[in-house]
Amino acid sequence: MAKYIFVTGGVTSSLGKGIIAASLAKLLQARGFTATIQKFDPYINVDPGTLNPYEHGECYVTEDGAETDLDLGHYERFLNTYTSQANNVTTGRIYQTVINKERAGDFLGKTVQVVPHITDEIKRRMQLLGKEGKFDIIITELGGTVGDIESLPFIEAVRQLQWELPEEDVVVVHLTLIPYLRAAKELKTKPTQHSVKMLSETGVHPDVIVCRTEEPLNNDIKRKIALFCNVKQDAVIEAMDASTIYEVPLLMLREKLDLICMKKLNITEFKEPELEKWKAFLDKLKYPKSKVTVGLIGKYIELQDAYKSILESFIHAGAMNEVKVQVINIHSEFITNENVAEKLDGLDGLLVAPGFGHRGIEGKIIAVQYARENALPFFGICLGMQMAVIEFARNILGLSKAHSTEMDMNTPDPVINMMEEQKKIKMMGGTMRLGSYACEIKEGTLAHKIYHDTHITERHRHRYEFNNSYLEQFESNGMIASGKNNETGLVEIIELPNHPFFIGVQYHPELKSSVERPAPLFVSFIEAAKMYNEKKSGSKIHSVQDALI
Ligand code: GLN
């Protein structure tokens, strides 16, 4: 039977519960246990798939095609294992299940209530992965902050589980903030005391308190928190602000967060943590040998979380190449033919981001043209790939009105078109082409050099596709489809063989990049940017493709 660790948050949101949960899971994994993390979100949307990135950051897609919270991305990147639909549950999904059961008559005339029906469904889902028998430890992150009205049923479910499961099978970790008052030069414990009090009033008592802080917690402060919050002093864990999220597992190791949890869980046999690969990655990340600058062309650039997995993939790929990757966010809405050279000046590579809708589209197309004409390494993801196709159609094939039917229903040249099976879909939620699909790669192409393979699988999230009736025209003019899905014939990868590095993919390689397995496309793109940077001062840029091993 699996053991359960619940992570709650107090005082304020954005304290990094996801990173603490992922770090704890990493340490337990490094000590030889199989761990997974799940996130319970208190909002009513059935999943975050229909949310605007401004609302909730990136939507993270799992192998099985679930549209989930971006914290699942952190879990996968830290643990190097996949999550699934079961790892992300929202209040909306809980209610949907209960209401469907009610309509089916499953409650036999009973009044359906938050307690016990909603909390029963929450508890069932909290234990689903635990009952599969695949995991020793299930870490459940509860979204929201203690005291919020909407997280109450989740907290109540944890309270019930604390009683129903054997005592040594449940740990509650509460993450809070210890603010530092600069004027008084003092750390303040009162918000933490209040937050723990509020949690206790709902019947849940934390076993461990993790304190986010800018300044180290001295023993007096730890003693005070222990005393007022009714935990042992060694269960008060200091979580100092770190220079990178990837340092947090090591900080938590030093603070013995894993040991204190294992003690409560009555786990007595474990090995020294195996973190050699992690430490080697961290070393490369902290001490890069040089720097490259890449432009991220998108329309949600004000919000870092909108492109979370792309930014993290750059970090993994940078460490692999021993370079610091400086990412310059460029708003596509403001790129014009007149200012493109100035806006993209100084870049060593250009990534055109995924997205939806017509805002900022023309700027993306202009940026692609600049990269194509100036031998600047180019990498297009999903919508970014579609923009590269449109740019090529307009400027090389002479189809000046070519477009995607997503932006222009009446274009005479729909080089990007809605997928056939999408045309009959009316509902928005969970209906895109989602999750993992296979792609066959042509030998001798850039894609083949990058993946060292002819068969790959990558994750998807789109409704539109390359229109194959134009393929011959594209290929005879220099843009080739180097990757396709054999079953459907959908083009998955396009590239320009006569360019140093120009590749666009219909899928999202950023969703499968982890610390221990950086996404090959990102690694090669950064390598290409590095070579571009090194050769920039020289007169001629040679083919980066030849140098890729
Ligand atoms: N809007 C495009 C489509 O639906 C691209 C989606 C994306 O970039 N994820 O096909």
Side-chain angles (χ1 to χ4, degrees), residues 353-357 381-384 386 406-407 432 461-465 506 508:
F356 296 84
I381 299 183
C382 207
L383 184 70
Q386 297 175 355
E406 179 178 4
M407 289 90 199
M432 282 188 247
R461 185 173 189 247
H462 65 123
R463 292 190 201 280
Y464 295 82
E465 59 163 323
Q506 187 56 78
H508 292 264

Side-chain angles (χ1 to χ4, degrees), residues 35 99 113 234 284 427 469:
I99 291 171
Q113 292 176 304
D234 62 358
K284 284 189 183 167
M427 301 288 270
S469 47

Side-chain angles (χ1 to χ4, degrees), residues 67-120:
E67 296 181 292
T68 70
D69 185 80
L70 57 78
D71 271 340
L72 271 76
H74 289 309
Y75 309 160
E76 291 201 2
R77 288 187 282 270
F78 273 55
L79 294 183
N80 199 27
T81 57
Y82 294 155
T83 54
S84 69
Q85 176 72 76
N87 293 72
N88 192 195
V89 178
T90 68
T91 293
R93 196 173 286 279
I94 300 277
Y95 271 81
Q96 193 183 46
T97 312
V98 173
I99 291 171
N100 286 345
K101 274 194 185 168
E102 187 274 334
R103 292 288 82 186
D106 289 359
F107 295 109
L108 301 173
K110 286 254 175 273
T111 309
V112 181
Q113 292 176 304
V114 173
V115 183
H117 303 100
I118 293 295
T119 48
D120 278 353

